[in-house]
Amino acid sequence: MLRVVSKSRIVCFGAALSLLTLLWAGQAVAVFSSSESFGQVAQQIQKMVSLKSRESGFSCRGERICGIQLLPAFYVQRQYHPVWLDEQGIRPTALALVSAISSAGEDGLDSSDYHIEAIEEIRAAVAGGKSLLYGRTAEQWAEFDILLTDAFLLFCSHLSGGRVNPETLHNDWVISAPAVDMMALLHTVATETQLNRAIDQLRPSQSGYAHLRTHLYRLRQVASSGGWPRIPEGETLRPGDRHERILALRHRLMADGSLLPDDQMEDQMEAPEHFDENLVAAVKRFQSRNGLKADGLVGSQTLAALNISAEQRIRQVELNLERWRWLPDSLGDRYISVNTADFTMRVVENNRTVLEMPVIVGKPARQTPVFSSQMSYMVVNPDWTVPFTIAVEDMLPKVLEDPDYFEKQGISVYWGWDEKAPPINPRHVDWRAYGVNNFPFRFLQAPGPTNALGRFKFMFPNKFAVYLHDTPNRSYFDLVKRDFSSGCIRVADAVALAEYLLRDNPGWSSQRLASVLKSGEPQTIHINQPIWVHLLYMTAWVDQEGMLQFRRDIYDRDTDLERALAGRPPRPLPANGALILTGGATP
């Protein structure tokens, strides 16, 4: 039975890796003196991954092996031959793997999750002239091979599906990436030398991931140079002001590219403490990129966003790279996306936005969920069956205040939720006697100008009963922060969306749609070309112009994810070897 090895024994493993470091320097060194010695390594691997060894857990050189459920079957198929070694010594794939793990931070992952600390210790040892080439035992080489195999499995599973399972954080997050057969991938790497290509193919293929990854590198360059200056607290800075704080503002906006190079000409910098037109444009640019009202004033909210450090923004990007890894490989050639944190809906065709509009999303107490589904039909002039929660929590207090509330809102009341339930006169009900634990009523709002769904609802089946719809209340669209709904998404231009969806329906012109609207009668229209709808939650992304965008964490989901990543050990892998990547198949 394998035991947890003391830290001092890591030095022995380090001796093996010191050879690896020499190979990095271009020195080819034979490791094994005979094929018999190589065979002894296989015997040691067989011993280490035996069932008896796994009964009480598995540690190797002081490192917990997380992929023990996969390792035995894999090594059995190889007759326990090493993966990362051969008769000539350490394979090039091992060098490529160590390099890839060392660069895990480029994807927002932590290389320490993949046994990299031991490798770093050996680098230091080799730099000090402590390289040991011969005398390593077969047991030590077997441990070396197993450790790298486990590192490969962990790194690849995290890179392709995320380090955290989102469904363990949020029960309303059900988007999942496709399955990846880790056993097949490991066999491929074991028999070929294209490890870098295999790893590259595991990353999310969408351009949004690659662009965000590039900006992570740029932010780290900024942070390594000292970050950007902090602007002192004070009164709102306004166009035309002259103040010493404006110099700090100017440097801050230069640091993140909001103040463009053309706006930094010497003749324009003669009065750097002046809040001039170029600086106003830069402030508005910054505000737009951070989901703030682009008024050019540096008030409390804008100042708070400006003073978020580069290190904090780096972490925000890392969290959203993790979210990209939870998504399917492709959102589709044509789809609707709603980024809840951005309060925006986009229709995308071939990576190009063809329709965009503001939306209103769920309030923090009734959050809009995250999922994907196909929109297949719409209802024009819909009626609205009021959900139980809204009926009890929102409407019941209103009818207690105003007995005419139902009449004003065009709402009929029924005794029971069955479609055959009889209608009742709401004025004959003592509404004070009812509440959340005693509420047998169903409310139905007729089509009309006061209907909460407006003139359209756009349907895509899901367990949350969430959909896109119009709204009679237009005032909320004038606000920057638009989280006022009960979970559904209210769109700013329902007619434009309806006309887009019906463009492939023969006979459905704008005039015909207007005629149906004017009739006031409900009509269901099936969409000839159903379209995928993706409800997402991204607080950092790169827009079509290549600009890095940030948004506030309105649902505290960044906070939850940060906590999960900080306190969570690398997850074990499932026994069947086919890792179902929904951000990870295991809790």
Side-chain angles (χ1 to χ4, degrees):
M1 180 172 63
L2 285 181
R3 51 189 166 79
V4 177
V5 186
S6 65
K7 186 174 181 180
S8 62
R9 293 191 61 197
I10 296 179
V11 176
C12 299
F13 171 63
L17 284 176
S18 66
L19 174 59
L20 181 63
T21 308
L22 289 180
L23 284 175
W24 286 333
Q27 302 181 37
V29 182
V31 181
F32 303 108
S33 58
S34 67
S35 59
E36 180 180 356
S37 298
F38 185 72
Q40 290 173 353
V41 175
Q43 292 175 8
Q44 287 297 323
I45 290 176
Q46 180 178 9
K47 178 181 178 181
M48 291 178 181
V49 300
S50 66
L51 178 62
K52 182 179 179 181
S53 298
R54 291 184 284 125
E55 288 176 349
S56 61
F58 186 10
S59 293
C60 181
R61 291 301 178 195
E63 299 279 344
R64 184 169 69 90
I65 301 301
C66 297
I68 187 57
Q69 297 181 63
L70 294 184
L71 290 178
F74 170 72
Y75 277 110
V76 164
Q77 293 183 27
R78 292 182 53 79
Q79 296 182 322
Y80 299 102
H81 288 165
V83 181
W84 313 98
L85 308 168
D86 57 26
E87 287 85 350
Q88 284 71 47
I90 299 174
R91 296 180 60 206
T93 50
L95 309 180
L97 176 60
V98 171
S99 177
I101 291 174
S102 298
S103 303
E106 296 176 5
D107 288 277
L109 295 171
D110 188 347
S111 60
S112 66
D113 287 341
Y114 317 113
H115 315 307
I116 198 65
E117 287 87 351
I119 296 174
E120 297 297 340
E121 289 181 12
I122 302 315
R123 284 179 175 172
V126 171
K130 298 179 182 179
S131 58
L132 303 174
L133 303 182
Y134 295 99
R136 301 304 98 214
T137 66
E139 179 183 4
Q140 291 163 345
W141 284 118
E143 290 171 334
F144 166 77
D145 199 83
I146 291 170
L147 201 61
L148 282 184
T149 300
D150 189 61
F152 172 84
L153 289 171
L154 278 173
F155 179 58
C156 290
S157 64
H158 293 170
L159 186 63
S160 56
R163 191 172 179 270
V164 169
N165 180 350
E167 293 184 33
T168 64
L169 293 179
H170 315 288
N171 58 14
D172 62 350
W173 196 302
V174 294
I175 284 185
S176 60
V180 172
D181 189 338
M182 282 296 165
M183 288 292 283
L185 183 64
L186 189 52
H187 278 293
T188 298
V189 171
T191 56
E192 299 179 5
T193 59
Q194 299 296 324
L195 182 136
N196 287 335
R197 183 174 66 180
I199 289 178
D200 286 340
Q201 291 175 345
L202 290 174
R203 290 188 177 93
S205 59
Q206 293 134 354
S207 59
Y209 182 86
H211 293 157
L212 198 57
R213 190 170 178 262
T214 298
H215 277 275
L216 176 62
Y217 172 77
R218 294 173 181 172
L219 279 172
R220 284 188 171 140
Q221 286 185 311
V222 172
S224 65
S225 300
W228 42 61
R230 184 176 180 85
I231 303 168
E233 299 288 336
E235 295 183 356
T236 297
L237 296 174
R238 304 175 182 275
D241 283 355
R242 293 180 182 272
H243 196 282
E244 58 184 11
R245 294 169 61 220
I246 293 173
L247 181 59
L249 172 64
R250 188 177 296 277
H251 286 294
R252 168 63 182 86
L253 295 172
M254 287 180 184
D256 75 351
S258 295
L259 185 57
L260 302 179
D262 291 345
D263 296 334
Q264 301 174 36
M265 305 291 291
E266 287 188 9
D267 59 341
Q268 297 170 335
M269 292 292 289
E270 293 178 357
E273 297 180 359
H274 177 218
F275 203 153
D276 58 23
E277 292 182 1
N278 289 329
L279 195 56
V280 173
V283 169
K284 290 182 178 180
R285 198 173 291 120
F286 173 86
Q287 290 169 327
S288 296
R289 291 173 57 190
N290 287 270
L292 301 168
K293 184 178 181 180
D295 56 10
L297 306 178
V298 182
S300 59
Q301 290 189 4
T302 298
L303 182 63
L306 286 164
N307 282 335
I308 294 175
S309 69
E311 289 78 11
Q312 288 173 288
R313 290 306 194 191
I314 286 171
R315 191 51 176 164
Q316 192 171 352
V317 169
E318 291 175 340
L319 297 178
N320 285 276
L321 284 171
E322 173 76 357
R323 290 191 177 109
W324 272 108
R325 292 188 283 266
W326 297 342
L327 298 180
D329 283 341
S330 173
L331 298 180
D333 295 332
R334 173 175 170 265
Y335 61 88
I336 295 171
S337 73
V338 176
N339 183 0
T340 307
D342 185 34
F343 315 108
T344 302
M345 186 209 79
R346 294 176 177 85
V347 180
V348 178
E349 292 183 357
N350 299 315
N351 296 318
R352 186 174 65 90
T353 299
V354 297
L355 181 64
E356 180 176 343
M357 66 184 68
V359 297
I360 296 167
V361 302
K363 60 188 70 173
R366 300 176 187 172
Q367 299 178 9
T368 297
V370 175
F371 66 91
S372 294
S373 183
Q374 265 198 326
M375 182 182 293
S376 55
Y377 70 96
M378 69 177 73
V379 180
V380 185
N381 300 319
D383 55 24
W384 181 42
T385 298
V386 181
F388 178 85
T389 300
I390 297 176
V392 175
E393 295 183 3
D394 299 350
M395 290 189 173
L396 183 57
K398 292 179 180 178
V399 74
L400 290 174
E401 294 179 0
D402 182 4
D404 297 326
Y405 174 78
F406 289 124
E407 183 178 352
K408 292 176 180 177
Q409 298 297 321
I411 295 175
S412 300
V413 179
Y414 297 85
W415 186 271
W417 284 77
D418 189 273
E419 290 187 2
K420 297 181 180 180
I424 61 174
N425 187 336
R427 288 186 173 275
H428 296 166
V429 178
D430 181 6
W431 293 105
R432 294 171 297 180
Y434 296 93
V436 65
N437 296 318
N438 177 28
F439 200 83
F441 308 103
R442 174 169 61 94
F443 299 163
L444 180 66
Q445 188 174 36
T450 61
N451 187 286
L453 304 186
R455 299 167 295 170
F456 296 90
K457 67 175 180 179
F458 305 92
M459 304 301 292
F460 40 100
N462 62 87
K463 69 179 184 179
F464 304 104
V466 164
Y467 44 86
L468 274 63
H469 65 85
D470 190 18
T471 175
N473 190 342
R474 316 301 300 174
S475 60
Y476 286 148
F477 290 112
D478 296 330
L479 303 177
V480 173
K481 188 172 180 285
R482 298 185 292 274
D483 52 346
F484 303 106
S485 84
S486 293
C488 288
I489 300 100
R490 308 173 195 172
V491 298
D493 193 346
V495 173
L497 179 58
E499 290 180 344
Y500 171 84
L501 295 170
L502 294 178
R503 66 180 187 175
D504 295 319
N505 281 36
W508 275 100
S509 63
S510 298
Q511 292 76 14
R512 183 180 176 187
L513 185 61
S515 177
V516 173
L517 283 170
K518 186 176 181 180
S519 73
E521 294 297 321
Q523 182 167 343
T524 298
I525 307 174
H526 291 278
I527 301 169
N528 280 5
Q529 297 293 331
I531 184 171
W532 277 100
V533 177
H534 304 288
L535 305 186
L536 308 175
Y537 187 86
M538 294 285 184
T539 60
W541 73 94
V542 180
D543 65 20
Q544 288 192 122
E545 286 71 42
M547 301 301 292
L548 183 58
Q549 299 275 337
F550 291 107
R551 294 296 182 270
R552 285 173 287 187
D553 182 21
I554 59 172
Y555 293 163
D556 290 330
R557 288 182 168 176
D558 281 0
T559 303
D560 293 339
L561 179 54
E562 172 67 44
R563 187 181 302 113
L565 289 170
R568 179 186 178 86
R571 69 167 181 251
L573 297 164
N576 62 10
L579 187 63
I580 307 301
L581 296 176
T582 60
T586 59

